[in-house]
Amino acid sequence: MGNWVVNHWFSVLFLVVWLGLNVFLFVDAFLKYEKADKYYYTRKILGFCSRTLRKQLDHNLTFHKLVAYMICLHTAIHIIAHLFNFDCYSRSRQATDGSLASILSSLSHDEKKGGSWLNPIQSRNTTVEYVTFTSIAGLTGVIMTIALILMVTSATEFIRRSYFEVFWYTHHLFIFYILGLGIHGIGGIVRGQTEESMNESHPRKCAESFEMWDDRDSHCRRPKFEGHPPESWKWILAPVILYICERILRFYRSQQKVVITKVVMHPSKVLELQMNKRGFSMEVGQYIFVNCPSISLLEWHPFTLTSAPEEDFFSIHIRAAGDWTENLIRAFEQQYSPIPRIEVDGPFGTASEDVFQYEVAVLVGAGIGVTPFASILKSIWYKFQCADHNLKTKKIYFYWICRETGAFSWFNNLLTSLEQEMEELGKVGFLNYRLFLTGWDSNIVGHAALNFDKATDIVTGLKQKTSFGRPMWDNEFSTIATSHPKSVVGVFLCGPRTLAKSLRKCCHRYSSLDPRKVQFYFNKENF
């Protein structure tokens, strides 16, 4: 290593300086185009391109799963290939026919006596299982395979939704997987002829005369073999460094003090936390990771921010949906106990950040999935308060689908304020919202029918009447397409996969083939 540094130090120094200069020039040019006022209009034109790029980054979880599937596929191929290899090794070791394979398999494993083996199976009594669990390559391979199986099976949607702790802890077996991958090749199971032996007895000249290797008159000598140096570290070094840097950054951010300013318990076991944190800055639709050390030191759960960027605090709504959330809600319900300490990491971006880039926006929330749209609606209220003329969005359609009536009370005050604000500003048509109740009985329907003529809805107290059942999406999209024949419509969903499938189909069906006419772009929150 020392000689290499002495011989190549100038080349390395030149390469580092050259790369550093290129990085500096790129960053300098990027900031110039990003910040300079003379490129303001250029950025306006190219804004759509950046939105398209961000849409691809929003599929990070999809990419993560794709990489996992490819790892599983190639792991299976790798294991099957080695099963065939060891079957060949075993048969060659058992052979007594004096063939080249049997001669090579009988080479000594005793390195102290000058032995140089090629077949990892040392004797006819050695089994494949013994080699698997006593060699570095075999043992690390078994550990990595078990870790991979546990990670993949525990990441299925059922386990992830119902037993998040199992998913969370099992997924961290990737540490053992990466460590195993780094040392997997050290044992040198697959070996090659040494350079010295190649020069002395090249296989193209000596392979056919293997029976004469030990003869004094022969120019061919018994070949020597060595294991290939491990190379897997080359593939994992950069990702590991990036991961460690990211964890250090997230640890630093999570250690900054979080002050809980207000705690609100809503119906349907929903907890609202309003918090402050020095230097915290957010955009609409973003989310944060939350940790409560008194419940679990290692578990971090994502929650969408329900506050607006214009507010002097940030808030989240937490629904009881598992052991961790139930324990958190229970801890805040205890009146005579100190408030649990909360750690926050983020915020992180989502597809909903682009909502104000569209002329027309369709927001669809299912249950607690309304949280990112609460942030958007609050921000709209503040923009109207400040008479923000830069607001590009001209119309918003908001659909909230709930299973029980109590859920509607979470943001009743917000919707009521928006109704009043729109009326006072003469923009009643800006927000068109529809509330759908899917869990209802005949008593609720009968009560609503008897009071239908009242000015406010009997279920929510809002002017907009609650609909029973689910939206007819074909009718809704057809109406929107007719009302906005030349607009770009952004459809945003925070809800289940089945609903996403229906909305994606509608976006495709009702988008015009003519790019100058109505186009629907589907965006889904991914957690």
Side-chain angles (χ1 to χ4, degrees), residues 197-261:
S197 177
M198 287 277 288
N199 295 330
E200 183 182 37
S201 305
H202 198 282
R204 294 191 183 277
K205 297 178 180 179
C206 299
E208 297 296 331
S209 57
F210 66 91
E211 294 175 344
M212 303 174 62
W213 281 349
D214 293 328
D215 291 351
R216 293 181 179 180
D217 298 333
S218 174
H219 66 279
C220 293
R221 295 290 178 263
R222 190 177 293 264
K224 303 289 184 180
F225 299 96
E226 62 182 355
H228 194 280
E231 293 189 341
S232 54
W233 64 270
K234 298 177 182 179
W235 298 94
I236 64 177
L237 181 62
V240 167
I241 291 175
L242 289 174
Y243 176 77
I244 292 174
C245 292
E246 190 250 1
R247 296 309 303 180
I248 293 173
L249 175 62
R250 291 185 62 175
F251 176 77
Y252 170 74
R253 293 193 306 186
S254 66
Q255 293 306 301
Q256 294 176 330
K257 186 178 180 181
V258 176
V259 179
I260 300 175
T261 58

Side-chain angles (χ1 to χ4, degrees), residues 11 53 133 159 174 178 205 228 284 320 388 393 447 450 457 515:
S11 299
L53 175 61
F133 288 98
I159 294 179
F174 82 91
I178 294 295
K205 297 178 180 179
H228 194 280
V284 294
D388 187 350
T393 307
H447 194 50
L450 290 173
D457 182 59

Side-chain angles (χ1 to χ4, degrees), residues 104 107-108 110-111 113-118 191-198 200-201 213 221-227:
L104 291 171
L107 295 177
S108 174
D110 193 346
E111 302 284 353
K113 296 181 180 180
S116 180
W117 58 273
L118 182 60
R191 297 165 72 85
Q193 194 172 354
T194 64
E195 286 295 328
E196 182 182 354
S197 177
M198 287 277 288
E200 183 182 37
S201 305
W213 281 349
R221 295 290 178 263
R222 190 177 293 264
K224 303 289 184 180
F225 299 96
E226 62 182 355

Side-chain angles (χ1 to χ4, degrees), residues 446-459:
H447 194 50
L450 290 173
N451 295 274
F452 186 78
D453 294 333
K454 288 189 175 181
T456 57
D457 182 59
I458 193 66
V459 177

Side-chain angles (χ1 to χ4, degrees), residues 52-71:
T52 305
L53 175 61
R54 288 200 301 271
K55 279 174 65 65
Q56 304 309 312
L57 296 177
D58 290 332
H59 296 297
N60 60 328
L61 286 181
T62 304
F63 178 74
H64 177 81
K65 292 176 183 177
L66 178 63
V67 171
Y69 295 147
M70 294 306 296
I71 290 175

Side-chain angles (χ1 to χ4, degrees), residues 204-410:
R204 294 191 183 277
K205 297 178 180 179
C206 299
E208 297 296 331
S209 57
F210 66 91
E211 294 175 344
M212 303 174 62
W213 281 349
D214 293 328
D215 291 351
R216 293 181 179 180
D217 298 333
S218 174
H219 66 279
C220 293
R221 295 290 178 263
R222 190 177 293 264
K224 303 289 184 180
F225 299 96
E226 62 182 355
H228 194 280
E231 293 189 341
S232 54
W233 64 270
K234 298 177 182 179
W235 298 94
I236 64 177
L237 181 62
V240 167
I241 291 175
L242 289 174
Y243 176 77
I244 292 174
C245 292
E246 190 250 1
R247 296 309 303 180
I248 293 173
L249 175 62
R250 291 185 62 175
F251 176 77
Y252 170 74
R253 293 193 306 186
S254 66
Q255 293 306 301
Q256 294 176 330
K257 186 178 180 181
V258 176
V259 179
I260 300 175
T261 58
K262 189 175 182 180
V263 179
V264 182
M265 283 302 306
H266 293 284
S268 305
K269 295 193 74 174
V270 173
L271 170 70
E272 178 184 357
L273 296 179
Q274 296 183 8
M275 296 166 280
N276 276 320
K277 181 180 176 181
R278 189 180 66 180
F280 188 90
S281 178
M282 62 164 288
E283 297 294 335
V284 294
Q286 291 185 326
Y287 68 95
I288 58 175
F289 279 98
V290 176
N291 170 260
C292 183
S294 61
I295 297 176
S296 174
L297 287 172
L298 300 178
E299 285 187 52
W300 290 82
H301 293 257
F303 294 97
T304 306
L305 292 164
T306 54
S307 52
E310 294 84 358
E311 293 177 308
D312 58 357
F313 63 89
F314 63 95
S315 65
I316 56 175
H317 284 64
I318 303 170
R319 178 174 62 89
D323 294 339
W324 190 89
T325 50
E326 288 178 357
N327 290 335
L328 183 69
I329 292 174
R330 194 177 300 117
F332 278 97
E333 283 179 331
Q334 297 175 1
Q335 298 180 357
Y336 302 105
S337 299
I339 295 178
R341 183 169 65 90
I342 294 292
E343 295 179 355
V344 169
D345 183 27
F348 301 95
T350 66
S352 297
E353 288 184 68
D354 293 334
V355 66
F356 295 133
Q357 300 296 320
Y358 292 94
E359 299 173 11
V360 180
V362 178
L363 315 179
V364 183
I368 198 66
V370 73
T371 48
F373 308 132
S375 174
I376 293 169
L377 295 176
K378 285 182 180 180
S379 184
I380 289 171
W381 186 83
Y382 281 105
K383 289 180 185 298
F384 280 136
Q385 288 281 321
C386 301
D388 187 350
H389 299 292
N390 295 322
L391 184 61
K392 182 178 178 180
T393 307
K394 306 301 180 186
K395 180 76 175 183
I396 288 182
Y397 295 88
F398 173 49
Y399 299 87
W400 189 5
I401 307 166
C402 282
R403 188 175 299 170
E404 52 190 22
T405 57
F408 288 123
S409 65
W410 300 340

Side-chain angles (χ1 to χ4, degrees), residues 482-493:
T482 304
S483 302
H484 309 279
K486 295 184 179 181
S487 296
V488 178
V489 183
V491 179
F492 297 85
L493 167 69

